[in-house]
Amino acid sequence: MKRVLLMIMGWTLLVYACSVDNDYVFEDISTHRLNQFIDECDATLLASEYGWKLIYNPDTSQYGAYTFLMKFEEGKRVKMISDFDEAGDTTYSSYSYNASLGPVLNFSTYSLLHLLADPAPEAAGGRAGLGFGGEYEFLIVGVEDDCISLLGKKNKWSANLVKATAEDWENMPKWRDAIGQFYIDPNQPFYNYLTMGNDTAFFYYSPKLRMAYLTYAKDGETVAERLPVHSSVNGIAFQEPVTFGGQTFSEVAFDRETYSYRIVDEGVTGHFFRSQSNTERCLLHFPDAVNLAKKWDAFSFVEGGAPVLVGGRYCLIPDGHGIQEFRFYWDLQGECAGQVYLRETEESIMTTLAKLFTDHPGEGVESDQVSFEFLGRTIIPVAPSYDTQRWFGFQYALDPAMGGGPMSNFFCDSPFTIIPVGEQFYMVQNEDNLAWCLFTPLDENN
Amino acid sequence: MKKWLLIWSLAVLFAACSDEDFHPSILEVEEEELSELDQWIMDNFTKPYNIEILYQWEDFESNQDYNLVPPEEDKVRPFLEVIKTVWVDPYLKVAGDDFFATLCPKQVMLIGSAGYNEDGTYLLGEAAGGNKITMYNLNYDDPKSDNMVLQYVHNFHHEFSHILHQTVEYPESFGLVTADVYTSNWATVSSGWFQSGCISNYAMADADEDFAEMFSYYVHSTEQQWDSYMLAGGEKIQEKETLLLNYMQSVWGVDMDALRAEVLTAIEKVKQEAAEEEAAGESSDN
């Protein structure tokens, strides 16, 4: 009987234990709330008549912004156009959601947006293995009627989908053209200067990287600013207003008739002009230029391209005839004697000792194009001198299938910073942060 | 007494639960309508062979060591058509339905780009756990071009052979024949692999890759080509050839010569179909 009583008491306690009212902080369980949030996001995306505009900085440390227009449709389909796509194609792809790390918007099949994430250089000219650092999976952090706030799933950089207008779709070809026009200058694409008041700066713009570069002297030192931009109807708009020479401006246009830049902002008096000066002379504008020539011995540069015999020396011209890849090495403790590493096919790896020249190779070439003389040729199984840490080099693969991509640097024991500013143009900053050089390929018209 | 006590207890228990509100299921129970592509995949791979084709991006299914992108949608079906012809059909004919249904990977994941390694090499395919094959680099060429067909044939048979040896190991002696030449620096080897007793430089990576490369080259090389490889590779590669053929016959009952004949026929079939499609396209353009 005692046992029975104990059982009754036990059951009673159990029942009372279960009958306590719980006060829930949330109205619903987390999965339901997550799904509800995703449903709300999807309904908002679908509701916009003209879709959404994304001005997207894939990697804020290296690139400006690329503009996309997206129209989300039933069946989890998305129509997309972009100013990054020279052909002006429209892609139709799929999107989906998942809730693995919170609500995630996933552009799940290939679209124009993937060009920025594509690790294949042949896709859009990004770096091999990295692309432009773009993403196509985004955490959804906020949903409003006219703005969906996103964060890249990997790098957590923000990206906002803003409700697009009919005008945006009309403007896309103009944005695309404006970006493209900056690239068309058959006469002299590189040496542009901006003068504002008493100050003058060297100006360069890379349509591919969506980055403008302003280099000028200030307080006895050379300052090099990188200015992220995105396309505008006139040309390029700086993502942050630029202050130079005591004035501030935010948009630059390109005049196709005169092949010149102009500031769009009203009341700003600065103007751009072109110079026929080559890079070496151009650097004479800067305080450390006197010493620069000396530095070039151990601080030289190189450019990718097939070697062509000009004026008794070989000159590197980026046309890819026969040569698949270049690698260039400088012995940091030595003088102006580099090694040029040529890779003609997958099976053939050659390196050649070369005497490098930074002056003009001779008649018929009016450029600061690097040139060299072959001193001999040996076949090596692997790249030289990795262990000594004495070598500096970077590579350029003409054929993306050979790997390496437009540029990757290696063997660098950190006296240099190399910043790609175009498809084959590099800025190199030396250790003391004073000297900047812009290295360019041979002008095709020469 | 006990009986009444039990009834009373159950009554209390049910009473305690009677006010509970049950939420709707947290699982997604709505079936999404299949796209034309999804339906084709369902009819040609999922229903007949229980193979799930993952072509829409699923991050957690992908190799986290690489930056990758999903395939272009219009590359998926042509790729799968090629794979069905050069991989599925030859096994069905030579090894039978049971062999294929048992051993075929249950998931095939398709990736648009290659996996780029820092040493300049690429990841083009991989097999995992005996049940999944991932194929890379779909986006950058016509899936039915001669080069790509050969690449797919090579990669898919290569990866499938990994599933075979992951299921039943090849003889240990296979890995010992050229154990001294295996190197992690295989990518820097630009020539001389035959002299080392290997079919390719990738075969010098390790015994598993050696096995898979031997397997794959065997099924897509003509007899004449293969004989020239064996001649160039000498005794060591010939010893591995014997071990490979015996393993396939004794463990799986697969006659590699018959499989090779089917694969070569399939490759020609794909090429012929591609040529016909191209001709039809040109005539419609005109």
Side-chain angles (χ1 to χ4, degrees), chain B residues 32-46:
Chain B
E32 287 187 12
E33 195 175 334
L34 293 180
S35 67
E36 191 179 337
L37 174 60
D38 290 331
Q39 188 63 56
W40 184 87
I41 290 170
M42 178 67 74
D43 294 341
N44 288 276
F45 281 88
T46 309

Side-chain angles (χ1 to χ4, degrees), chain A residues 360-377:
Chain A
H360 298 166
E363 196 176 337
V365 178
E366 296 177 358
S367 161
D368 53 315
Q369 178 69 47
V370 70
S371 59
F372 60 88
E373 285 178 346
F374 286 128
L375 299 179
R377 175 173 287 194

